[in-house]
Amino acid sequence: MKKIAPHIILILLLLTIPIVSSPDFDGTLSVFRVSPFQREFIRFVFVVLFFYLNLNLFLPKLYSKKKYFLFIICLLICFGIMVFIPNYLTSENGMSAHHLQMQMKPHSMGSPENIALPPREGQFPAENTGYRNHNPYSQMIFSSLLPFLFSFLSSLYIFKNIEKKELERSKAKAELLSLKYQLQPHFLFNILNSIYSLALLKSDDAPNGILKLSNVMRYVVQESSKDFVGLSKEIEYLKDYIALQLVRTDSSLDFSYTETGIIKDEQIAPFILVNFIENAFKYGFNAEENSKISVNVIIKDGVLNFNVFNNIVNRNISDENSLKIGMKNTIEHLNHAYSGKYTLNSHNNGKTFEVDLKINLL
């Protein structure tokens, strides 16, 4: 109903144009008794109807599908209706504006100058000759042609703009899907590395690690095709991912994770956050040096503040290109999903690296 109401209001406003612009309009509805106005008003109604019919039916169903013959036939039929139907529907005995005014003008019956005399031959007003019967077809066609062309061209212009926007949306969606397909194998490769690490360590934490790994893989497979997922699911995925990374570390790492705020029904694009954590573990952990990584998550009033800090203690990254690709894809993902709704700041002084991401999830 909300989508229909503006169109109804627009139609009503458009229908006032021929009324207020008519030279016969005197501020009352008596103008509807004038034959020429009746014809033009009916023609204007057909112009408005044709505009919506062309925009919502002929252009998308015929023109777009290259059914040009049917499209032209429909246009000609509509034009014919616009030319002839107003004249057919208008009463032949409809009054002219002059006669209407004379009829409404008070007369003094006793005054000789007000007594109507029989008209002489050839002195009948032009209005009495019948507007419809003596209106040439060329004049009828010309009076309908300009409104018809205006209605057609304006609906075509709007339709082309709608098509262009839909094409841009489809292109953006395809690019976003492509980014997701690039992200998915990237994370799966790192998960396989985690499996290898668990096998080498023969740790007592291996069963729990495999469970976390199962959760991560399930999330990647099930949620990667979605545009948005619940924020609570994404946070749980991050925790499982962090748990897998911690299995590969030792006591030299000072790690902290804090989460503030209450998660309600907020939604977030999947895999937006995990790449920052992955980079922190890649560059921020070295068993031979004191390492520090902190992750802070704050949710307040539908806004997510995500902060990741790490010491730079590992500069020999074997898959650095992979990390750069992952970060590039993440930023492009942010631009597609949250254009104008996020800020991303990072600070690198050569010894520490900190990234601060703020997303308006509403």
Side-chain angles (χ1 to χ4, degrees):
M1 186 62 186
K2 291 181 179 179
K3 294 182 178 180
I4 297 176
H7 291 281
I8 295 175
I9 295 172
L10 177 62
I11 291 173
L12 293 176
L13 290 174
L14 287 174
L15 292 180
T16 63
I17 294 175
I19 299 175
V20 299
S21 62
S22 173
D24 301 324
F25 181 61
D26 59 358
T28 68
L29 295 180
S30 60
V31 67
F32 282 94
R33 300 172 62 187
V34 179
S35 295
F37 172 79
Q38 290 174 355
R39 285 188 282 273
E40 293 308 315
F41 183 79
I42 294 172
R43 184 173 289 113
F44 195 84
V45 171
F46 283 135
V47 168
V48 175
L49 291 177
F50 171 70
F51 171 84
Y52 281 98
L53 196 63
N54 193 44
L55 180 62
N56 296 291
L57 183 62
F58 298 156
L59 289 172
K61 301 296 182 182
L62 300 177
Y63 179 80
S64 290
K65 295 181 180 180
K66 298 183 178 181
K67 298 179 180 179
Y68 298 127
F69 180 75
L70 286 176
F71 178 67
I72 293 173
I73 293 296
C74 290
L75 294 186
L76 291 176
I77 291 174
C78 289
F79 182 67
I81 291 173
M82 205 174 295
V83 171
F84 297 106
I85 295 299
N87 289 67
Y88 178 79
L89 293 179
T90 305
S91 171
E92 291 190 14
N93 297 320
M95 299 182 185
S96 69
H98 172 72
H99 283 156
L100 183 63
Q101 291 171 2
M102 292 299 295
Q103 186 185 66
M104 296 176 67
K105 183 177 179 180
H107 296 282
S108 300
M109 298 301 295
S111 178
E113 62 270 16
N114 289 328
I115 298 176
L117 297 176
R120 298 176 183 178
E121 185 179 355
Q123 290 184 337
F124 284 98
E127 292 87 351
N128 284 343
T129 61
Y131 180 87
R132 189 183 70 186
N133 291 337
H134 293 272
N135 186 17
Y137 284 114
S138 59
Q139 184 178 348
M140 293 165 56
I141 293 173
F142 180 76
S143 63
S144 300
L145 183 60
L146 292 180
F148 177 81
L149 288 177
F150 176 78
S151 181
F152 172 75
L153 293 175
S154 58
S155 59
L156 180 63
Y157 175 78
I158 293 173
F159 178 75
K160 287 294 185 182
N161 281 340
I162 293 173
E163 267 193 335
K164 182 179 179 181
K165 290 180 180 179
E166 287 181 352
L167 183 62
E168 290 174 353
R169 281 196 295 266
S170 298
K171 183 180 178 181
K173 190 172 183 179
E175 290 176 352
L176 183 58
L177 191 61
S178 175
L179 289 175
K180 288 180 179 179
Y181 287 146
Q182 292 179 46
L183 285 168
Q184 183 171 328
H186 174 71
F187 290 121
L188 286 175
F189 286 139
N190 285 285
I191 289 169
L192 292 175
N193 286 334
S194 298
I195 295 177
Y196 179 69
S197 299
L198 288 173
L200 288 179
L201 291 171
K202 297 180 181 179
S203 170
D204 294 336
D205 294 329
N208 185 54
I210 293 174
L211 178 62
K212 299 293 184 183
L213 177 61
S214 174
N215 292 338
V216 168
M217 293 186 69
R218 184 181 298 109
Y219 184 85
V220 169
V221 172
Q222 293 181 352
E223 308 297 337
S224 62
S225 61
K226 297 180 180 179
D227 292 332
F228 294 93
V229 298
L231 179 60
S232 58
K233 286 186 177 181
E234 182 74 6
I235 295 298
E236 287 302 314
Y237 165 67
L238 290 181
K239 291 177 181 178
D240 288 337
Y241 185 85
I242 290 171
L244 282 175
Q245 295 289 354
L246 290 175
V247 169
R248 304 167 59 187
T249 64
D250 54 28
S251 58
S252 63
L253 173 63
D254 177 13
F255 178 81
S256 65
Y257 174 88
T258 59
E259 184 178 322
T260 307
I262 300 175
I263 300 176
K264 297 178 181 179
D265 55 354
E266 293 90 351
Q267 299 278 308
I268 190 171
F271 308 112
I272 285 286
L273 308 175
V274 70
N275 191 258
F276 300 108
I277 296 176
E278 180 188 13
N279 284 358
F281 275 97
K282 286 289 186 180
Y283 290 98
F285 172 68
N286 187 338
E288 298 177 357
E289 296 185 39
N290 291 329
S291 309
K292 179 177 176 60
I293 298 174
S294 66
V295 179
N296 297 298
V297 179
I298 302 174
I299 304 102
K300 184 178 180 181
D301 299 329
V303 177
L304 170 68
N305 288 278
F306 184 71
N307 179 273
V308 181
F309 171 88
N310 64 273
N311 292 336
I312 301 176
V313 293
N314 188 10
R315 294 175 175 81
N316 299 318
I317 307 297
S318 57
D319 58 346
E320 187 173 3
N321 288 334
S322 177
L323 291 176
K324 289 180 178 179
I325 292 173
M327 182 59 68
K328 178 176 178 291
N329 288 342
T330 297
I331 294 174
E332 290 185 15
H333 197 173
L334 278 167
N335 289 331
H336 279 99
Y338 297 104
S339 178
K341 299 179 67 176
Y342 83 95
T343 58
L344 178 63
N345 299 304
S346 60
H347 179 69
N348 185 349
N349 61 10
K351 295 182 178 180
T352 63
F353 181 81
E354 184 175 11
V355 62
D356 188 73
L357 173 64
K358 184 177 181 180
I359 305 176
N360 185 354
L361 301 176
L362 297 178

